[in-house]
Amino acid sequence: MRGLFDLYLAQFRTTIAVQLQYRAALIIWLIETILEPLIYMIVWSTVAQAGEGSVADYAPRDFAAYYILFMLVNHITFTWIMFEFEWRVRQGYLSGLLLRPVHPIHRDIAENMTYKALTLTVMLPTALALTWLFDPAFHFTRRTISLFVVSVALAFLMRFLLEWTLALSAFWTTRTSAINQMYYVVMMFLSGEIAPLALLPGPMQQVAHLLPFRWMLGFPVEIGLNRLTAVEIQHGILIQIGWIVLATGLLRFFWKRGLRRYSAVGA
Amino acid sequence: MTTATSAAIHVEQLKKTYSIHERESGLAAAFRSLLFRKTRNIDAVAGISFDVHPGEIVGFLGPNGAGKTTTLKMLSGLLHPTSGACRVLDCPPHRREKRFLRRITLVMGQRNQLVWDIPAMDSFELNRAIYRIPLPLFKSTLKELDDLLELNAIVRKPVRNLSLGERMKCEIAAALLHRPDVLFLDEPTIGLDVTMQRRIRSFIRDYNTRTGATVLLTSHYMADVEALCRRVIVIHHGRILFDGDLSDLVQRFSSTKTIVVKLENGGADLSRFGHSVALEDGGVALRVPRSETARITEQLLATLPVTDLTVEDTPIEEVIEQVFALE
């Protein structure tokens, strides 16, 4: 455990050093992360004002609250591994990682967490600025905040493991960008990104309930907004844990097969 | 398998077969291949066996595509063998056990261990955590590597700003920080100038002497092999053609020697003694059968006004070429 801690710490330092080399790229990424939810927020607020002052039970101030939290959750949980893995496999960079006496996933988790820690120093002030600008309807209690933190941590783990597993498709195909594209389109609709899930038609909500996307994004946001009952929260957290267990199993299974495949084509 | 324990590397009937998709060029063939995929099996390594003892430096020779890199990748655990067995430090490499990975290293050309955007020193620190190297040991190893490779001036520059040779030095240092017992070096001097090649070469020799590490290296530069390896394994089309002392290789496959003669009156026709080639400096190189060398030398000295005469072995490159030509 001590060794793993040292490893994360070392990776932490390395990643910070690398990221600081690319200040411009860092800022462009951040602008994109902020812009997307901002657009949805403005669109939905406009829709709400044009109608009866709200859509479903979301008033403009609720949309503001929803998308500010969504921006934070999405930022904390997103990964870029699906884009990186194909390059790793194709360029043989993975071979270098395989020679190390530690599973490559640790490197990726540490790198991801470092990037987040670094960028949250900008994201959090941004969230505060947006709060000041849009006057969102937050109803925080100590309980919702602590449950929000727990569900975000689980969402991070769940999303990381699932996307790492999906990234392994690079072992079998070189057209992973098509897979990624599809993944993101489905995610956009069923995670609560394009609209809060409560606004979607019933059948779509049911589908969202069965798929992982809601549990990676929409669910923690709904907790933070105090829109869920205690039972719904309990239920959701169990589902998140279930997905983490399943994703871990899938990851192990496909990692083993993938390596065999990698080996067959020449590493 | 019990016989394997004394060898650092034990390879038995090791085989690796790749299955390759094949199709003709052109659009029609592209559509055909959608339905009917033709595959062909290629034996990259076709059942080789050898042992390497602890502390040995062995040269692994062969033309491109001979199976050298495939073998090194199997021995370092990157590739699963199709059949046969190999053990390195008594571990089956393809399982990639931690205790195994901690004791080996593989250096492949410019394939990087180093993080591109930051100084090599930062990558070294990362490796210290990955391999759990205690700080005092890390420092003393780094000092040693610095003595041998003169790293001091370059480890604090971002890797992307280093020259090819500097990068290779850092790459090798990163690969050796954990003091591996077995080194697989795939073309460690490729693309480097002669001075740098010599430096890397003497470094490998020193490292071997200091630590008693086992080294298996491939190289296209015969100078590397001559300087480092007493024993060589020659591989071609996935099979071993020769395994033994470098000097034996020359003995066995080179049936000729070269006599270089200089005459007082310049060039004369020496073709009656053997295959002769006029040299730029006015001398003549005579290729003669090995067994005839003494007799012909004597004859030359007795019958001609010789000012200078040397007898040379055929260059190793040519010997190797002859070995491959036998195939």
Side-chain angles (χ1 to χ4, degrees):
Chain A
M1 214 51 207
R2 175 73 211 278
L4 212 54
F5 179 76
D6 286 345
L7 175 65
Y8 274 73
L9 206 64
Q11 189 66 57
F12 189 78
R13 283 198 208 103
T14 312
T15 307
I16 287 191
V18 173
Q19 288 301 336
L20 293 180
Q21 293 273 325
Y22 290 104
R23 283 159 300 186
L26 202 63
I27 289 168
I28 292 169
W29 270 105
L30 281 173
I31 291 175
E32 198 195 311
T33 319
I34 294 163
L35 221 52
E36 214 175 279
L38 199 64
I39 291 169
Y40 289 129
M41 183 202 294
I42 293 168
V43 167
W44 281 111
S45 300
T46 315
V47 171
Q49 270 159 355
E52 294 151 12
S54 70
V55 183
D57 57 345
Y58 279 84
R61 287 183 60 223
D62 295 314
F63 279 118
Y66 184 88
Y67 279 111
I68 289 171
L69 276 193
F70 195 94
M71 177 186 81
L72 286 179
V73 175
N74 192 24
H75 182 71
I76 291 169
T77 59
F78 94 98
T79 82
W80 52 90
I81 188 66
M82 287 154 63
F83 301 95
E84 200 174 306
F85 215 90
E86 190 202 339
W87 169 80
R88 252 183 216 181
V89 170
R90 217 177 333 166
Q91 299 293 319
Y93 178 66
L94 185 66
S95 296
L97 296 178
L98 289 176
L99 288 170
R100 298 173 173 179
V102 58
H103 198 296
I105 199 170
H106 292 299
R107 177 200 172 283
D108 295 335
I109 295 180
E111 189 187 65
N112 194 300
M113 283 169 48
T114 312
Y115 177 80
K116 302 304 175 52
L118 197 65
T119 45
L120 270 179
T121 56
V122 180
M123 288 305 274
L124 284 176
T126 308
L128 287 178
L130 291 177
T131 302
W132 177 73
L133 271 172
F134 291 91
D135 186 27
F138 285 127
H139 312 284
F140 290 129
T141 66
R142 197 178 291 169
R143 188 172 150 276
T144 55
I145 289 175
S146 50
L147 284 169
F148 174 74
V149 170
V150 171
S151 67
V152 169
L154 290 172
F156 170 79
L157 206 57
M158 180 185 154
R159 189 166 173 187
F160 196 92
L161 293 168
L162 275 176
E163 292 185 1
W164 214 85
T165 308
L166 203 61
L168 297 180
S169 62
F171 282 129
W172 288 272
T173 171
T174 47
R175 308 306 301 265
T176 49
S177 53
I179 297 175
N180 298 349
Q181 195 73 31
M182 202 168 86
Y183 175 85
Y184 278 106
V185 168
V186 179
M187 175 185 251
M188 197 165 80
F189 282 101
L190 297 180
S191 66
E193 182 178 352
I194 205 164
L197 285 173
L199 271 59
L200 298 185
M204 257 179 110
Q205 287 189 35
Q206 276 163 3
V207 176
H209 195 82
L210 293 174
L211 292 176
F213 307 104
R214 178 190 179 195
W215 311 107
M216 300 195 278
L217 288 163
F219 174 66
V221 177
E222 288 162 37
I223 293 181
L225 293 179
N226 215 353
R227 283 179 171 266
L228 298 177
T229 65
V231 176
E232 282 170 328
I233 293 174
Q234 224 173 41
H235 187 70
I237 283 180
L238 283 177
I239 291 177
Q240 282 186 315
I241 294 172
W243 273 109
I244 288 169
V245 173
L246 182 70
T248 311
L250 288 174
L251 190 149
R252 283 183 173 203
F253 180 80
F254 285 110
W255 174 242
K256 221 171 166 181
R257 301 272 143 140
L259 280 187
R260 217 160 241 284
R261 168 87 188 176
Y262 183 59
S263 154
V265 294
Chain B
M1 271 297 141
T2 45
T3 51
T5 45
S6 66
I9 302 169
H10 172 73
V11 176
E12 209 175 293
Q13 288 303 317
L14 193 65
K15 209 170 166 180
K16 179 75 196 178
T17 310
Y18 295 123
S19 121
I20 312 270
H21 294 298
E22 269 189 342
R23 72 170 171 83
E24 313 278 314
S25 61
L27 200 60
F31 278 108
R32 250 199 321 276
S33 79
L34 268 179
L35 295 174
F36 310 104
R37 266 212 160 168
K38 257 199 272 174
T39 57
R40 190 161 62 101
N41 286 335
I42 293 179
D43 290 332
V45 174
I48 59 171
S49 305
F50 62 87
D51 278 352
V52 180
H53 295 289
E56 253 189 305
I57 304 185
V58 176
F60 209 34
L61 309 179
N64 289 336
K68 296 170 305 209
T69 305
T70 302
T71 307
L72 291 193
K73 282 180 174 173
M74 281 194 275
L75 292 176
S76 53
L78 291 178
L79 291 178
H80 293 230
T82 307
S83 68
C86 57
R87 291 181 85 78
V88 175
L89 298 166
D90 249 346
C91 297
H94 71 272
R95 281 203 207 142
R96 297 179 39 249
E97 291 168 37
K98 287 195 172 110
R99 65 184 173 122
F100 164 74
L101 293 173
R102 280 210 184 97
R103 292 178 64 195
I104 66 141
T105 202
L106 167 67
V107 177
M108 283 196 286
Q110 311 296 333
R111 211 42 86 65
N112 38 8
Q113 282 271 328
L114 305 169
V115 184
W116 190 246
D117 302 302
I118 53 175
M121 195 60 202
D122 291 351
S123 290
F124 293 171
E125 281 289 343
L126 187 61
N127 272 18
R128 179 165 83 82
I130 288 170
Y131 287 96
R132 302 184 186 183
I133 308 165
L135 192 58
L137 185 64
F138 174 78
K139 280 187 175 158
S140 67
T141 308
L142 201 58
K143 170 86 182 50
E144 240 176 81
L145 290 170
D146 181 30
D147 287 348
L148 295 168
L149 290 170
E150 293 174 10
L151 297 169
N152 218 353
I154 54 176
V155 289
R156 294 185 199 282
K157 283 196 246 172
V159 171
R160 60 160 182 242
N161 295 343
L162 299 178
S163 74
L164 193 63
E166 291 173 334
R167 209 156 70 222
M168 199 63 209
K169 286 206 284 187
C170 292
E171 199 70 62
I172 289 180
L176 294 179
L177 277 173
H178 60 291
R179 293 185 159 270
D181 296 317
V182 173
L183 279 59
F184 299 112
L185 307 175
D186 196 10
E187 304 282 353
T189 56
I190 199 162
L192 303 182
D193 64 37
V194 180
T195 322
M196 195 59 75
Q197 282 180 26
R198 201 176 299 134
R199 160 101 20 107
I200 301 269
R201 222 174 274 149
S202 75
F203 167 74
I204 295 169
R205 197 174 29 235
D206 281 355
Y207 183 87
N208 165 266
T209 321
R210 283 191 197 193
T211 64
T214 310
V215 183
L216 186 56
L217 102 157
T218 75
S219 181
H220 276 114
Y221 301 113
M222 283 320 294
D224 284 353
V225 179
E226 281 178 282
L228 291 172
C229 316
R230 199 197 295 166
R231 176 180 163 201
V232 294
I233 296 174
V234 181
I235 180 172
H236 193 29
H237 295 316
R239 284 173 214 286
I240 290 180
L241 298 184
F242 176 85
D243 179 357
D245 281 1
L246 190 57
S247 53
D248 285 349
L249 180 76
V250 179
Q251 289 281 337
R252 200 159 117 203
F253 288 96
S254 166
S255 51
T256 60
K257 284 206 176 206
T258 304
I259 306 175
V260 180
V261 210
K262 262 192 188 165
L263 300 177
E264 238 171 49
N265 49 359
D269 181 21
L270 301 179
S271 56
R272 64 200 149 104
F273 295 101
H275 176 75
S276 73
V277 179
L279 301 175
E280 273 177 19
D281 64 352
V284 177
L286 266 181
R287 178 72 58 86
V288 300
R290 183 177 281 273
S291 55
E292 301 276 294
T293 316
R295 191 183 61 78
I296 294 174
T297 309
E298 220 171 278
Q299 240 181 342
L300 283 168
L301 290 169
T303 58
L304 295 166
V306 174
T307 57
D308 190 25
L309 184 145
T310 51
V311 179
E312 292 165 4
D313 267 321
T314 312
I316 304 264
E317 273 99 341
E318 281 180 39
V319 178
I320 301 267
E321 259 173 51
Q322 283 169 26
V323 178
F324 297 145
L326 290 177
E327 259 282 276

